[in-house]
């Protein structure tokens, strides 16, 4: 028997609880197959926490996360809270939890399943061989800089500041180089160094660290060009490292290469093995509660958790293979089905994946 791993489960809003439910079934199946032991502790987060506790990130939820070995997060947000003040927005909880848990690195893999190429809006031949990872800085930049309103010469103005210090850039860039070393050793550092001072600092730091990794082929790509190249030659990218807001935008773009954002997992990491794992997609309030959402991104987030936090590589492979086999057999949720009339629901997809999991 392996030691008990504590998992904080924060399902959140919209389709969050549905997709997390399927991911938990997958985790329980690995207890059966591999003798793992998980202890799940559930916490309120996001809109539901605003409704029930008056804050998107209640202290007790943060404590549950801090006491856990890993966090499994569903999704937060919805129209109900869209007009709330900043403190009472679900997104504020998300930014708060990243900062409070020191999760400065956000890893978003985008690989194209061969059998889903037809679900992408891009031509299959452009997608051929696409397998990349966006490493996004997550606790700095314009997201966390000072924000305020003021009276300017021409009336009201709004200010968002973008700040990065050397240490913040160093730690994310090092992590990206390390990840590149485990893959095909190509790193694209994305910035806007032709305009932004923070980007010029970013580039200096990357160039200073690069000699420590002589095997890694490094390119600097301006963010606007990267947005274009992702559509033109996605398979030429391996690891992309970039600052917070560029990473937010580029990871959504990269996600769509795969056909559906419903397929993509993500990990948010700090210095140690602790991590927060969540699907890249949001709470999808338009389809919440209908049992039609795609649980694969959350299930693949569990595989990522197994690899990055627990080192359970064999089980991670079992999960990833099960997903592939179920897709190869032609099963699709609505978001990835070409013929929507054949689409299956969330629970059916989860059950098929669990049934396909074998050692
Ligand atoms: C993401 C989301 C969040 C972000 C929002 C909901 C605050 O878009 O995780 O990519 O911008 O980081
Ligand atoms: Mg985003």
């Amino acid at each position: 028997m392996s030691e008990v791993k504590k998992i904080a489960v924060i399902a959140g809003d919209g389709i969050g609880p549905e997709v997390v439910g399927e991911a938990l079934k997958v985790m329980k199946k690995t207890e059966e197959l591999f003798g793992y032991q998980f202890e799940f502790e559930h916490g309120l987060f996001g809109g539901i926490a605003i409704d029930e506790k008056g804050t998107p990130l209640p202290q007790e939820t943060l404590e549950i996360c801090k006491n856990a070995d890993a966090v499994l997060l569903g999704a937060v947000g919805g129209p109900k809270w869209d007009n709330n003040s900043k403190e009472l927005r679900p997104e504020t909880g998300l930014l708060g939890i990243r900062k409070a848990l020191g999760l400065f690195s956000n890893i978003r893999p985008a690989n194209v399943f061969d059998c889903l190429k037809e679900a992408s809006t891009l031509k299959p031949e452009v997608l051929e061989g696409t397998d990349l990872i966006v490493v996004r800085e997550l606790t700095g930049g314009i997201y966390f800089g000072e924000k305020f309103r003021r009276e300017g010469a021409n009336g009201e103005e709004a200010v968002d500041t973008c700040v990065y210090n050397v240490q913040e850039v160093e730690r994310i860039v090092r992590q990206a180089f390390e990840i590149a070393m485990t893959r095909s050793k190509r790193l694209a550092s994305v910035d806007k160094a032709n305009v932004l001072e923070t980007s010029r600092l970013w580039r200096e730091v990357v160039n200073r660290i690069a000699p420590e990794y002589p095997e890694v082929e490094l390119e600097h790509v301006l963010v606007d060009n990267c947005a274009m190249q992702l559509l033109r030659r996605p398979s030429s990218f391996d690891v992309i490292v970039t600052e917070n807001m560029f990473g937010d935008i580029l990871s959504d773009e990269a996600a769509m290469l795969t056909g559906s954002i419903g397929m993509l997992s993500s990990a948010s990491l700090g210095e140690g093995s602790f991590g927060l794992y969540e699907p890249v997609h949001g709470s999808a309030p338009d389809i919440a509660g209908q049992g039609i959402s795609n649980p694969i991104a959350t299930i693949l987030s569990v595989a990522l958790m197994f690899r990055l936090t627990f080192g359970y590589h064999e089980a991670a492979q079992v999960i990833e293979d099960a997903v592939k086999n179920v897709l190869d057999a032609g099963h699709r949720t609505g978001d990835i089905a070409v013929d929507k009339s054949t689409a299956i629901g969330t629970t059916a997809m989860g059950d098929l994946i669990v049934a396909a999991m074998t050692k």
Side-chain angles (χ1 to χ4, degrees):
M1 277 287 170
S2 50
E3 70 181 285
V4 179
K5 303 289 189 195
K6 282 194 194 160
I7 313 292
V9 182
I10 43 184
D13 308 315
I15 61 170
E18 307 167 21
V19 292
V20 164
E22 300 312 307
L24 293 182
K25 288 201 299 210
V26 165
M27 291 186 79
K28 288 187 184 129
K29 178 75 179 190
T30 66
E31 292 186 314
E32 233 175 76
L33 288 175
F34 293 90
Y36 300 151
Q37 289 181 282
F38 298 112
E39 194 178 289
F40 300 105
E41 224 182 318
H42 296 258
L44 288 173
F45 185 57
I48 185 171
I50 295 172
D51 290 352
E52 292 191 20
K53 301 278 174 184
T55 168
L57 177 54
Q59 193 55 38
E60 61 216 68
T61 300
L62 196 54
E63 290 307 320
I64 292 175
C65 294
K66 284 186 174 161
N67 289 327
D69 298 301
V71 182
L72 182 65
L73 173 69
V76 293
K80 183 174 175 197
W81 307 282
D82 273 353
N83 297 318
N84 284 8
S85 63
K86 184 175 160 243
E87 293 67 38
L88 292 180
R89 289 188 65 106
E91 294 83 357
T92 304
L94 194 55
L95 301 189
I97 203 169
R98 289 170 179 169
K99 196 71 167 179
L101 298 174
L103 305 171
F104 62 84
S105 162
N106 185 218
I107 300 190
R108 298 185 166 184
N111 48 342
V112 176
F113 285 81
D114 271 348
C115 64
L116 288 184
K117 269 194 263 173
E118 78 276 17
S120 174
T121 49
L122 292 196
K123 293 190 188 118
E125 62 267 28
V126 175
L127 293 173
E128 194 66 50
T130 294
D131 177 9
L132 60 89
I133 291 190
V134 178
V135 179
R136 166 188 177 194
E137 199 294 323
L138 202 58
T139 50
I142 201 164
Y143 273 62
F144 289 92
E146 212 189 330
K147 305 172 187 306
F148 54 93
R149 299 282 178 107
R150 68 182 172 204
E151 212 40 53
N154 296 310
E156 191 182 15
E157 292 177 345
V159 182
D160 289 291
T161 46
C162 182
V163 183
Y164 269 109
N165 63 44
V166 170
Q167 181 246 347
E168 285 171 319
V169 182
E170 268 174 6
R171 63 185 182 186
I172 186 78
V173 165
R174 271 224 168 75
Q175 207 176 74
F177 271 108
E178 293 290 339
I179 294 171
M181 285 297 287
T182 67
R183 296 171 48 97
S184 59
K185 302 195 174 66
R186 277 174 295 130
L187 179 64
S189 170
V190 175
D191 61 37
K192 189 72 186 171
N194 52 350
V195 178
L196 301 178
E197 202 51 41
T198 41
S199 282
R200 286 191 271 271
L201 178 77
W202 181 280
R203 202 176 271 218
E204 272 168 39
V205 170
V206 172
N207 284 335
R208 186 150 23 88
I209 292 176
E212 294 172 29
Y213 301 89
E215 288 168 59
V216 176
E217 191 188 311
L218 169 69
E219 62 171 337
H220 295 283
V221 190
L222 293 172
V223 62
D224 48 347
N225 187 29
C226 183
M228 181 178 81
Q229 301 298 348
L230 270 174
L231 299 183
R232 201 170 70 91
R233 51 166 181 106
S235 63
S236 73
F237 288 102
D238 179 22
V239 179
I240 292 176
V241 63
T242 191
E243 63 97 69
N244 203 343
M245 188 155 78
F246 298 161
D248 178 44
I249 298 166
L250 294 178
S251 62
D252 265 31
E253 187 188 356
M256 269 323 282
L257 299 172
T258 67
S260 171
I261 199 163
M263 299 292 298
L264 293 197
S265 56
S266 80
S268 301
L269 306 170
E271 296 289 359
S273 63
F274 177 85
L276 178 150
Y277 298 84
E278 59 176 319
V280 170
H281 63 69
S283 59
D286 51 323
I287 58 163
Q290 297 176 34
I292 58 170
S293 58
N294 183 351
I296 292 180
T298 316
I299 289 171
L300 290 175
S301 298
V302 171
L304 212 51
M305 176 196 291
F306 280 11
R307 283 192 196 283
L308 301 179
T309 291
F310 300 134
Y312 292 167
H313 296 284
E314 193 189 345
Q317 196 61 51
V318 164
I319 296 170
E320 288 160 359
D321 289 347
V323 168
K324 184 173 180 302
N325 290 340
V326 168
L327 292 172
D328 281 344
H331 304 292
R332 303 278 189 274
T333 43
D335 57 318
I336 49 175
V338 175
D339 175 2
K340 305 284 176 214
S341 70
T342 61
I344 61 171
T346 314
T347 318
M349 181 55 97
D351 288 343
L352 282 165
I353 294 170
V354 168
M357 287 169 63
T358 47
K359 254 173 118 170

